[in-house]
Amino acid sequence: MAGHCWLNGEVVATLPATDRGLHYGDGLFETIRVENNQPVWWLQHLERLLKGCRCLSIVIESGVVEQELKAFITSQIASHGIVKLMVTRGSGGRGYNSTGANHPNRLLLWYPLPKYPVSYFLQGIKLYDCQTRLGQQPVLAGLKHLNRLEQILARQEWTDNQFAEGLMLDLNQHIVEGTMTNIFWVAESEVQTPALTYSGVAGVCRQFVLEQAAQLGLTVKPGEYKVAALARAKEVFVCNSVIGVWPVTGYRHWNWPVGKLTQQLQALINAVMPCERLFSEH
């Protein structure tokens, strides 16, 4: 059974108009890179998805989700790509009251791998200074829920292609994340990153970086950091589960070299999902 969009295991072209994911963003999603017909970091994606479902009181069977995902990937012509997996509460309920919405929907979509300049991976990127601030909601912090309006507003702030990503702060001016990435930097002989206690997405690649940094014997310190913390940084990088790691070489008036840890992490990730597949021709 082929098709670039499946709903609950069946090929579809549309989602029911009554779905609460459309009406209220009542659901979650995972963006999964596929390499050689295998979902990269699938167990980590599934763990985050199940955590989000528990938080939103959406009941799904993990075995069914995994079975459908693998069948969906197998049905594709290409062996490399991106799967977007969405779980919504389904249809039902009056207004914000979800009573009666007892049949969650599982939506799978297939996309080709995105293309980026090779310089993003090798020479690094500049971060745009986003003015859109992230709200604070600790109940939802870390989850990849369907409400992404803050990121959309932030991404609309720049059209200059000298910036590949933008950095977002919260209402208290603490660093949180990029519009589509998590951020790390090395300062004072330790690896620092936002703790994501009140907002932000706990990325799967972020988890990989935290684990690898610890295995390399580095001190890892998640916390609440303001932008001034970057003044002490020796190297900065951003990451997500599609692109892997991009070095950051510029933000505001600061500049950094491509660092040793950044390159080490890139090598580790490239062994799992080669960045070369994302290189554009230009």
Side-chain angles (χ1 to χ4, degrees):
M1 180 172 55
H4 290 300
C5 182
W6 285 14
L7 176 63
N8 301 329
E10 300 292 334
V11 177
V12 296
T14 60
L15 188 67
T18 54
D19 190 274
R20 292 179 62 87
L22 291 173
H23 287 256
Y24 312 112
D26 193 357
L28 306 133
F29 73 103
E30 297 290 329
T31 305
I32 306 163
R33 183 157 164 184
V34 176
E35 285 290 322
N36 297 310
N37 298 116
Q38 297 299 316
V40 179
W41 292 326
W42 165 239
L43 292 180
Q44 291 85 349
H45 281 290
L46 179 61
E47 180 182 4
R48 182 175 59 185
L49 178 66
L50 293 176
K51 179 181 178 181
C53 285
R54 288 192 296 270
C55 180
L56 299 183
S57 299
I58 295 176
V59 179
I60 61 170
E61 295 183 33
S62 60
V64 172
V65 173
E66 184 169 12
Q67 181 180 14
E68 288 179 354
L69 173 68
K70 292 182 177 180
F72 180 68
I73 291 173
T74 301
S75 76
Q76 304 303 319
I77 296 174
S79 58
H80 310 286
I82 304 294
V83 171
K84 185 167 185 178
L85 163 62
M86 286 185 278
V87 173
T88 76
R89 198 179 302 276
S91 301
R94 162 67 181 89
Y96 297 136
N97 186 349
S98 63
T99 301
N102 301 319
H103 301 286
N105 281 324
R106 305 174 304 277
L107 189 67
L108 291 164
L109 300 100
W110 179 270
Y111 298 96
L113 288 173
K115 297 296 182 181
Y116 299 103
V118 63
S119 61
Y120 289 7
F121 300 86
L122 302 183
Q123 284 80 47
I125 66 166
K126 292 183 179 180
L127 293 179
Y128 183 81
D129 188 13
C130 295
Q131 299 306 299
T132 302
R133 297 292 180 251
L134 289 164
Q136 296 176 307
Q137 177 46 269
V139 174
L140 299 176
L143 304 185
K144 200 159 187 179
H145 51 74
L146 290 174
N147 296 271
R148 297 289 119 197
L149 288 176
E150 293 166 325
Q151 287 76 13
I152 290 170
L153 289 173
R155 185 59 187 86
Q156 289 175 344
E157 289 184 33
W158 82 91
T159 56
D160 189 337
N161 59 14
Q162 72 169 303
F163 300 105
E165 171 64 310
L167 185 62
M168 301 190 70
L169 313 180
D170 66 15
L171 297 172
N172 293 323
Q173 309 300 313
H174 291 117
I175 300 171
V176 180
E177 60 190 1
T179 64
M180 64 173 186
T181 59
N182 291 117
I183 185 168
F184 288 83
W185 58 94
V186 178
E188 301 171 353
S189 301
E190 61 187 20
V191 180
Q192 300 176 350
T193 191
L196 308 182
T197 304
Y198 302 103
S199 57
V201 175
V204 165
C205 193
R206 175 182 182 269
Q207 179 182 341
F208 177 84
V209 170
L210 290 171
E211 293 169 354
Q212 293 303 315
Q215 288 184 22
L216 290 169
L218 301 172
T219 300
V220 182
K221 189 177 179 182
E224 292 187 358
Y225 297 98
K226 294 198 172 182
V227 168
L230 295 175
R232 299 185 295 275
K234 300 176 182 177
E235 63 180 288
V236 182
F237 60 88
V238 293
C239 65
N240 72 27
S241 61
V242 172
I243 64 170
V245 166
W246 283 348
V248 174
T249 55
Y251 171 70
R252 292 189 180 178
H253 56 279
W254 294 300
N255 294 282
W256 304 279
V258 178
K260 179 181 178 181
L261 177 60
T262 300
Q263 293 174 325
Q264 287 179 303
L265 291 167
Q266 284 183 319
L268 290 168
I269 292 172
N270 285 347
V272 179
M273 49 181 205
C275 64
E276 289 85 356
R277 296 201 205 283
L278 306 183
F279 291 171
S280 62
E281 295 180 356
H282 304 290

